[in-house]
Amino acid sequence: MRVDYTELSKTIAALTEGETDEVALMATVVCEVHNADSRFDWTGFYRVVAPELLKIGPYQGGHGCLVIPFARGVCGAAARTGETQLVPDVEAFPGHIACSSSTRSEIVVPVWRKDGSLLGVFDIDSDQPDAFDEADDKGLSGVLREVFGR
Ligand code: SME
């Protein structure tokens, strides 16, 4: 099953209409995204909780590491640069943090609030190599902008 980002956005918009609580919004986004595509084996948020520090938020899949400094990992790179990280082979990414030995590829998207502050990053791991592409970056960024940037 492959995600239809247009339909996914409509579903999430309907489920979150009028909601402003960030935890409720994150939990709903994770649930809907994780179950939308068989490539997605771990789906979750890491939140900015202090300068240069991320802490796990709502997620689905196996346990995730709790704390990630901006200096480490794919999540830290996304938070540090403000740019999506598309990782076709996690073994080739310097400093990749392996929460599961089965992960082969990863996408991490920065999440911005409407005031321009960085809420955190949205991380999806896949057990399939080279599972993500620009269409996923565009689709996920659009969903996240509609939910958190509005
Ligand atoms: N792989 C991430 C860490 C989070 S686990 O994948 C859930 C990273 O390198 O930042």
Side-chain angles (χ1 to χ4, degrees), residues 19-149:
E19 186 54 67
T20 58
D21 179 84
E22 287 184 349
V23 175
L25 293 171
M26 285 188 277
T28 304
V29 168
V30 165
C31 176
E32 293 304 313
V33 171
H34 188 70
N35 291 297
D37 195 304
S38 54
R39 293 174 293 158
F40 303 168
D41 293 302
W42 192 95
T43 308
F45 285 89
Y46 280 89
R47 300 160 297 124
V48 178
V49 296
E52 309 290 309
L53 189 64
L54 295 166
K55 187 163 285 190
I56 201 163
Y59 68 93
Q60 299 219 1
H63 66 272
C65 57
L66 299 184
V67 180
I68 301 177
F70 279 30
R72 294 193 60 218
V74 185
C75 292
R80 190 169 64 244
T81 65
E83 300 290 332
T84 293
Q85 304 295 307
L86 261 176
V87 183
D89 175 6
V90 296
E91 299 290 330
F93 189 94
H96 169 256
I97 301 169
C99 293
S100 168
S101 59
S102 62
T103 299
R104 293 292 172 268
S105 60
E106 185 166 4
I107 184 171
V108 183
V109 182
V111 186
W112 304 100
R113 295 188 180 91
K114 60 187 174 186
D115 66 4
S117 63
L118 184 67
L119 182 156
V121 298
F122 187 62
D123 179 16
I124 305 178
D125 294 340
S126 181
D127 293 347
Q128 301 171 33
D130 198 13
F132 306 104
D133 59 20
E134 286 69 22
D136 293 300
D137 179 14
K138 180 181 177 187
L140 293 169
S141 297
V143 167
L144 295 165
R145 184 169 48 253
E146 285 167 16
V147 175
F148 298 100

